[in-house]
Amino acid sequence: MASAESEISESGIFSPSDLPSDVEKGTNPATEEEKPFQRPIPDWQWFLVAVGLFFGALLYGLDTTISASVQGPILSSLGEIEKLAWVGIGFPMGSIAVILLFGWCYAVFEIKWLIIGSVVTFEVGSAICGAAPTMNAMIFGRVIAGIGGAGMYLGALTYIAVFTPGSSRPIYNALTGASWGTGCILGPIIGGSFAVSSATWRWAFYLNLPLAALMAPVYIFLFPKYNPQPDLTGPTKLARIDWIGAMLNATVFVLFQVVLTFTGSTWKWDSAGPIAMWIVFGVSLIAYIIQQTFSIFTTPERRLFPVHFLKSRTMNLLFIGTAASATSLGVGVYYMPLLFQFTRGDSAIRAAVQILPLITITIFSIMFTGGLLPVIGRYSPLYFTAGVFAIIAGSLLHTIDITTSTSAIYGYEVLLAIGTGATMQIAYAVSVAKVKQHDVQNAIGFINVAQIGTLAISLSIAGSVFQNRGFINLREALDGYGFSEQDLRGALSGAQSGVLNGSGEVVKEKAIMAIVKTLDSVWILTIVAGAVSLIAGLLMRWERLNLQAAGI
């Protein structure tokens, strides 16, 4: 292990030997006491770099959910209701399609230029969304922005892994998660504000441009360089990428989201189109599994997915626990505002404000457990506790009807926030502490797939449940009133339709009751997520990591 006092090379590029390795598989990790960690840049510079990283995570979170409150105005401007779901799903889908590829790139390429390139990609996607003349252009922009956002978020986690000691990583990871979570919760509020203003919904996306420009000097002039493999040339690194694995990975996730989103709502379950798509998805998944397992057209060291992690009980359970947290967060952030809009008649802005308890307590929980983990050293109790809170919250949400008081719903939000935030970020610190130094980037990417990938998948599942069950419930509740399928679908999308406007109080009440009944089915996902987190916590090793609390 190289000395922590290693000097920066004249080129200004760090190599892995310039920083101390604090993790060894099978040993008690994070033993900086042996050789004190010394960051190879001044503290003032690192402070500004950290601000830039947290700000990028905030923007990523913001765009993850900002579409939740602008879908109605977008539909009014661009039409094509059958494609509306992709305004929300396109962003996380773009992210999950490239997360593992980004993880591999951050392990071999200069991380400064990768993160700057990701910011540029994110801004290009945002500009396309703001200027979109059609729904197809909007969806394309959302996917591009999602790709860039994934690079920004993964870049932040990589900088933290490289430039902080193990004792401080839980705090930095918590701050990154809190920034991302803050953005996720503020997304509907900011989007709703623009949607009802003279600036229109387009500035919900244009906003990213001046905000990124504000931080551009920090990214360009202050972000330190770090080249994980300085002895290899760029073309050699490109040639070593598992391109087949990258393409199969993207294909699997994209196909899964397409068929899950459109089957039942746009396509009939028994029609030829979705059946063929499900078959293609299955074949692609099998091909991806075989290609990664046997390292076809690549090597075990270069394959995209860290297959060897699947042999680790701890890594698998960390993945599962993080996926459970992401599911609870996604469902809560997207569907809690809908609950208030339908049952209270709230505007998009007011409905978003109604989830402030969910916002503040989630952020508090992320920060609290980030600071608690180095103190107690044990992570399994946190997953168990989070599961208990999520199960209770989901069960209570499942009982909501149109007469449930707002104060009671606030209480349910608090319980869900504790169950979500407690384990949202800690897997990043634990996983890094459980692997060898050369696997650190793989560990970050692995957990990132669990977090962002499951968020995208859970939203697709929830959306499918909401659209399919909602249509059935509305059709049964309003049978005989002569509403078309488009009217019923429009009501579920929050669009102005004859179902909720201008059809009389009796029809409106029946429609709202049917929609609230549909939301009951959506809340079941949080109950399942809580149960999964609880079981994961019980199965995790009862071990104590040596992550001593330290200043940042």
Side-chain angles (χ1 to χ4, degrees), residues 146-161:
I147 291 172
M152 291 162 56
Y153 190 60
L154 200 55
L157 296 170
T158 300
Y159 263 99
I160 289 169

Side-chain angles (χ1 to χ4, degrees), residues 127-211:
I128 293 173
C129 291
T134 65
M135 188 65 82
N136 286 338
M138 167 61 69
I139 296 170
F140 177 73
R142 290 289 286 164
V143 172
I144 296 299
I147 291 172
M152 291 162 56
Y153 190 60
L154 200 55
L157 296 170
T158 300
Y159 263 99
I160 289 169
V162 171
F163 288 97
T164 64
S167 55
S168 293
R169 264 179 223 140
I171 297 295
Y172 279 103
N173 287 327
L175 288 168
T176 304
S179 301
W180 178 72
T182 301
C184 283
I185 309 290
L186 291 179
I189 299 175
I190 294 175
S193 299
F194 281 116
V196 299
S197 72
S198 58
T200 76
W201 59 267
R202 295 185 181 275
W203 268 95
F205 302 102
Y206 281 142
L207 178 66
N208 291 323
L209 304 180
L211 291 179

